[in-house]
Amino acid sequence: MASDAHAHPFDLAGRFPDAENERRSLGIACAASAWNGEQFAYHQELARSARQEGAAPMALCFAVHPQLPAAGNTSSFAPLLELLETLAAGDELNAIGETGFDLYNDARETSLQNAFRATEAVQDELFAAHLETALRYGLPMVLHVRRAMHKVFAHTGALKKLPAVVFHSYSGTVGEGEALLRRGINAYFSFGASILLNHKGAIRSCAALPLDHLLLETDAPYQPLRGKAFSHWVDLSVILRGAAGIRKEGGVPGGDPEELEAATDKNFYRIFFPREIHSKVW
């Protein structure tokens, strides 16, 4: 069974209505990220149905995305944080995410993206609230980090107390990843389309970071492969083969697609379904 460590099924369904049927037919377990109640309720229903039908599971994640402050309407954050607390207290979450920091500004991109850095203080407040909830309930966190690894390192003392920290679409360096592990953070590094789009930093990290801390993702529908309008579940097999090729060229474990799939599946279940992993054979 393949595993997708980060996706947005609610948003994917808007592009591809048959997405859930495709996921189940491919046997892909996934971690579903939501940032509002409507998205979470949709994912919750998919997860419930999958359990009843014995289909590949869906891990439920919730957080205020760090890009949202740039869109304004910050008055809506308090109800979202209250919902986060309610979901965590009710044992409804497999992880808190995606939260984190986005300081990526690029004059070639949209004015909204250029506004990310201007909201750094709000992002700090939101991250602190998410981290406090994760610590209180012993939940993993899924992090979105762009041009902001220094801010993650400022929280290493707290992050190492969490059961796991997943770096969605990891954009840090090999050295930063290794440093996080040395500092006692149970960090996992997730890779998607960027390793197939000549992102040299992601390729180096995918080749060098430990196999038992690697994950794969589609970020569906938001990280399409070249020539595609959006990403979806079938892309995971392409990403898997690409990552295995990178590992093989580097002469490190995980150079065979079946080996890499088994390892990343084990990592996925260890993070998002720790109670279930004990009943599986690896």
Side-chain angles (χ1 to χ4, degrees):
M1 179 184 294
S3 54
D4 187 335
H6 190 81
H8 303 264
F10 178 90
D11 296 336
L12 178 59
R15 310 275 192 99
F16 178 36
D18 201 40
E20 179 62 7
N21 286 334
E22 179 184 81
R23 185 185 76 85
R24 295 187 187 190
S25 69
L26 294 172
I28 294 175
C30 80
S33 179
W35 67 266
N36 63 36
E38 181 184 12
Q39 292 177 357
F40 186 83
Y42 178 80
H43 296 165
Q44 192 174 42
E45 175 57 26
L46 292 185
R48 182 199 62 78
S49 174
R51 283 194 302 271
Q52 287 184 341
E53 297 177 16
M58 180 175 288
L60 299 175
C61 311
F62 184 86
V64 180
H65 196 289
Q67 292 179 346
L68 287 177
N73 194 27
T74 56
S75 62
S76 65
F77 295 156
L80 293 176
L81 292 175
E82 290 174 6
L83 177 56
L84 172 68
E85 175 70 22
T86 298
L87 295 174
D91 198 25
E92 299 287 346
L93 295 176
N94 297 90
I96 291 176
E98 61 189 286
T99 180
F101 308 100
D102 197 318
L103 304 183
Y104 183 74
N105 285 354
D106 189 334
R108 297 168 298 178
E109 299 189 11
T110 69
S111 58
L112 178 61
Q113 288 169 312
N114 288 332
F116 294 157
R117 185 176 291 277
T119 65
E120 183 174 355
V122 180
Q123 292 183 45
D124 287 341
E125 293 176 7
L126 288 170
F127 183 78
H130 288 82
L131 179 55
E132 181 181 347
T133 302
L135 289 167
R136 185 183 307 115
Y137 295 100
L139 286 166
M141 292 184 80
V142 179
L143 302 189
H144 168 111
V145 182
R146 293 205 306 172
R147 304 282 175 88
M149 285 298 293
H150 62 287
K151 300 186 78 67
V152 173
F153 278 96
H155 293 278
T156 53
L159 291 173
K160 69 182 183 181
K161 298 176 183 177
L162 298 178
V165 179
V166 175
F167 287 84
H168 143 58
S169 192
Y170 182 65
S171 61
T173 66
V174 174
E176 287 169 333
E178 292 173 340
L180 291 168
L181 295 172
R182 285 197 305 271
R183 294 186 185 201
I185 297 173
N186 189 24
Y188 291 83
F189 309 97
S190 187
F191 298 95
S194 62
I195 62 172
L196 303 177
L197 299 176
N198 202 33
H199 189 299
K200 292 181 172 56
I203 292 170
R204 284 192 292 268
S205 294
C206 182
L209 290 170
L211 181 60
D212 59 353
H213 287 271
L214 240 59
L215 295 164
L216 301 175
E217 64 172 76
T218 63
D219 195 21
Y222 293 115
Q223 287 195 42
L225 299 175
R226 187 172 283 108
K228 292 194 173 184
F230 60 91
S231 54
H232 57 115
W233 310 115
V234 294
D235 297 342
L236 188 62
S237 63
V238 182
I239 293 165
L240 171 66
R241 292 194 301 271
I246 290 168
R247 302 284 293 185
K248 183 176 182 179
E249 185 174 347
V252 295
D256 175 77
E258 290 187 5
E259 177 191 15
L260 181 59
E261 182 175 354
T264 53
D265 283 356
K266 184 175 183 179
N267 295 340
F268 176 92
Y269 279 91
R270 184 184 293 124
I271 297 160
F272 296 109
F273 297 99
R275 284 170 286 194
E276 287 85 343
I277 196 171
H278 297 296
S279 65
K280 299 182 76 67
V281 177
W282 300 97

